[in-house]
Amino acid sequence: SKKIFGNENPIGKTITYNATNLQNELIVVGAVIKDLSHNSSFKFDAVLSEDTNNKIDWYIGNKNSWGTQNYISYFRIPTNGNINLINQKLKNIPLTDVEEGFKSSIKLSSLPLQNSYFETPDIEIQRHGNHLTIIIIRITGILILLLACINYINLVSTQKIKRLRNIGILKVLGSKKRKIIQLISTESGLVLLITSALVITLLYFLTEGLNRLTQSQFTLAEILSGWNLVVFILILIVTLLITGIIPGIILSSNETTQLLKNKISINHKNYLRNILLVFQFTISIILLTSILFIKKQNNFLISKD
């Protein structure tokens, strides 16, 4: 609107429209819409009324044919509407006027707009995503989070010998196993709070780079709102449980006398820690190998004639 009319009100004014099948057609501006949000399902610059298409001779004849499937239809149902009943009615629409060659390809049904992002890639006017890609990204994120948790557990466990005497003194003073687990969990919670503050600070400075990388327009407020915020809080809770309770159980499982006399063997087999280390290195190797594989594939696609 600003490009063509500047600051003037464009409603009711005419512009000349030229297309492959329609030349020098004067069309009237009926409305101006604000720019669509960057995460909208739809992507277009302008909307033409069907009356414009009706001025094309071949289009009118084609439109009246039952074999024509030119348009995607959107409709809104009442809040208490039954979509299953609507779909059943759509299926019952007779196709008697449809040519035999088209009947087998016509299936009348509907689906929620929120499902169309992944399920209808043939609708060109909408943005679409690959469900498998999203699953892979989620799994990768969970694995990286697990690696971070395992790192923390291993760091706490390696300090076990230094802390055993302290825990022994706590037990002598009357602290139960639950209190010791709470102590370790509190320490883990403080680390998580500091980490969360650091993450939010980094997000503030790195969001612009993320947008350039993904060709998006996210803001920090969008990243930390709605379900994203719920997931973020859930991750903090789960991480606190993993990094607080597990080390707490490990450190509080020894007898008080052994703790005070420092008779715990340093060389005893710690199966849990060994399992965590093996898991950690396995996942790290898989992720690094995947990155190298993808990089080689991209280089091959770019360089191949």
Side-chain angles (χ1 to χ4, degrees):
S1 175
K2 288 184 177 180
K3 183 176 181 180
I4 298 174
F5 298 103
N7 293 324
E8 297 180 24
N9 183 1
I11 305 300
K13 294 187 177 181
T14 59
I15 58 176
T16 303
Y17 175 69
N18 289 292
T20 305
N21 299 292
L22 195 63
Q23 297 291 321
N24 299 320
E25 178 68 22
L26 293 177
I27 58 176
V28 180
V29 178
V32 176
I33 63 170
K34 62 182 179 181
D35 294 340
L36 299 173
S37 62
H38 71 97
N39 59 345
S40 171
S41 294
F42 302 99
K43 48 180 180 180
F44 57 83
D45 297 315
V47 180
L48 285 172
S49 69
E50 193 179 0
D51 289 339
T52 306
N53 277 342
N54 287 334
K55 295 179 181 179
I56 303 172
D57 293 335
W58 64 264
Y59 174 83
I60 299 173
N62 191 38
K63 185 177 72 168
N64 294 327
S65 168
W66 271 84
T68 301
Q69 301 176 37
N70 287 345
Y71 293 105
I72 306 301
S73 299
Y74 300 89
F75 61 91
R76 181 179 294 172
I77 65 172
T79 306
N80 59 347
N82 189 328
I83 191 63
N84 294 325
L85 182 61
I86 292 172
N87 281 332
Q88 187 59 47
K89 289 184 176 182
L90 287 173
K91 290 180 181 178
N92 292 336
I93 293 177
L95 302 178
T96 52
D97 294 326
V98 181
E99 297 178 14
E100 289 299 325
F102 289 104
K103 281 185 178 180
S104 60
S105 64
I106 294 178
K107 295 178 181 178
L108 301 176
S109 63
S110 66
L111 80 162
L113 180 61
Q114 65 182 15
N115 295 356
S116 64
Y117 185 77
F118 291 116
E119 298 180 20
T120 55
D122 53 320
I123 302 179
E124 295 180 356
I125 66 169
Q126 282 189 216
R127 288 190 173 94
H128 295 93
N130 187 300
H131 201 65
L132 178 61
T133 302
I134 301 298
I135 292 173
I136 291 172
I137 291 173
R138 284 176 176 171
I139 291 174
T140 304
I142 291 170
L143 289 175
I144 292 173
L145 180 63
L146 278 176
L147 290 179
C149 291
I150 291 170
N151 265 335
Y152 184 83
I153 292 171
N154 287 336
L155 285 171
V156 173
S157 298
T158 53
Q159 298 173 2
K160 181 177 180 181
I161 303 303
K162 296 179 182 179
R163 302 199 60 180
L164 289 179
R165 189 179 294 276
N166 293 338
I167 293 172
I169 293 172
L170 288 173
K171 282 191 172 186
V172 168
L173 294 174
S175 293
K176 301 295 184 183
K177 188 174 182 179
R178 179 171 57 86
K179 288 291 183 180
I180 295 171
I181 294 174
Q182 285 179 354
L183 173 65
I184 305 299
S185 299
T186 302
E187 293 175 358
S188 175
L190 289 173
V191 172
L192 282 173
L193 285 175
I194 296 170
T195 304
S196 299
L198 182 61
V199 165
I200 294 171
T201 303
L202 287 173
L203 274 175
Y204 177 79
F205 292 105
L206 297 178
T207 301
E208 186 177 346
L210 174 67
N211 286 333
R212 285 199 299 268
L213 180 66
T214 59
Q215 297 181 348
S216 304
Q217 297 174 11
F218 292 108
T219 63
L220 183 61
E222 287 177 330
I223 294 174
L224 297 176
S225 64
W227 279 108
N228 289 342
L229 184 59
V230 173
V231 171
F232 184 70
I233 294 172
L234 286 175
I235 288 174
L236 287 179
I237 294 172
V238 172
T239 306
L240 178 60
L241 291 174
I242 295 174
T243 60
I245 291 179
I246 293 179
I249 293 172
I250 293 173
L251 293 172
S252 62
S253 59
N254 298 287
E255 294 295 330
T256 307
T257 54
Q258 291 178 318
L259 292 170
L260 290 175
K261 292 179 180 179
N262 202 19
K263 289 185 177 181
I264 304 299
S265 175
I266 300 175
N267 297 320
H268 77 286
K269 292 184 178 179
N270 191 330
Y271 292 106
L272 177 60
R273 186 179 170 193
N274 291 337
I275 291 170
L276 291 177
L277 283 172
V278 171
F279 176 80
Q280 185 179 13
F281 279 108
T282 302
I283 297 303
S284 299
I285 291 169
I286 291 173
L287 290 176
L288 288 171
T289 305
S290 300
I291 292 171
L292 293 174
F293 178 77
I294 293 169
K295 187 176 185 300
K296 291 186 72 174
Q297 287 291 301
N298 283 337
N299 291 339
F300 177 77
L301 288 170
I302 293 170
S303 60
K304 183 67 176 175
D305 188 351

